[in-house]
Amino acid sequence: MQEYNPLFDLDIQWWLALDEDERVAAVLDYHEKADVEPPDENMHALLHAVVENQVALGGAAPTESVLHRLVEEKLDRHDAVHAIASVLANYLYGALCNNDAEVSNDDYYAALEKLTAEKWLRGEYSKD
């Protein structure tokens, strides 16, 4: 049986054959086996799954190209997923806090394009 490992490129056909609960479970399983205990493991796994879902979309979202760029900038793939997830989490938080404002994926995509490995490593990943 295939397993999720964020250090390696996603097997998109396998990933898309899973339902959402199975995807989150696969991420949880990886972190458990790797002995990684994030503060909120369910939210952590959910954000991993959302980022991987966006990667699986290919060119429909810039996530895949941003992930590859971050890896070229010397982040390992797992850290690159975390970097993208941090931008996603900040975007979602902002959208939830501004329930009277229009929410656009374009803002999220623009924030992703500004993300660099250097900014991530310095903790400057939220918004410019």
Side-chain angles (χ1 to χ4, degrees):
M1 178 178 175
Q2 190 161 358
E3 294 182 351
Y4 173 71
N5 187 331
L7 292 170
F8 299 102
D9 285 338
L10 189 65
D11 179 337
I12 293 171
Q13 289 183 327
W14 170 77
W15 185 258
L16 293 177
L18 302 174
D19 67 30
E20 281 302 313
D21 289 337
E22 291 171 321
R23 294 173 192 171
V24 171
V27 174
L28 285 167
D29 187 54
Y30 167 80
H31 285 93
E32 182 179 316
K33 288 178 180 175
D35 202 26
V36 176
E37 295 182 29
D40 184 337
E41 64 184 18
N42 291 319
M43 181 58 70
H44 186 92
L46 181 63
L47 288 170
H48 256 268
V50 171
V51 169
E52 295 291 13
N53 289 346
Q54 292 175 358
V55 168
L57 291 173
T63 312
E64 181 182 32
S65 64
V66 170
L67 179 84
H68 291 300
R69 178 173 48 77
L70 293 172
V71 170
E72 287 174 9
E73 293 174 8
K74 305 301 181 210
L75 288 183
D76 69 32
R77 190 178 183 284
H78 193 181
D79 282 341
V81 169
H82 286 172
I84 292 167
S86 68
V87 173
L88 175 62
N90 283 320
Y91 171 77
L92 292 172
Y93 179 77
L96 290 170
C97 289
N98 297 314
N99 57 0
D100 60 335
E102 185 175 323
V103 176
S104 167
N105 284 342
D106 292 340
D107 295 335
Y108 167 58
Y109 296 158
L112 279 183
E113 294 296 343
K114 293 177 185 175
L115 177 65
T116 66
E118 184 178 347
K119 286 181 181 179
W120 162 252
L121 293 170
R122 287 193 322 241
E124 300 175 18
Y125 48 84
S126 57
K127 292 184 181 179
D128 285 353

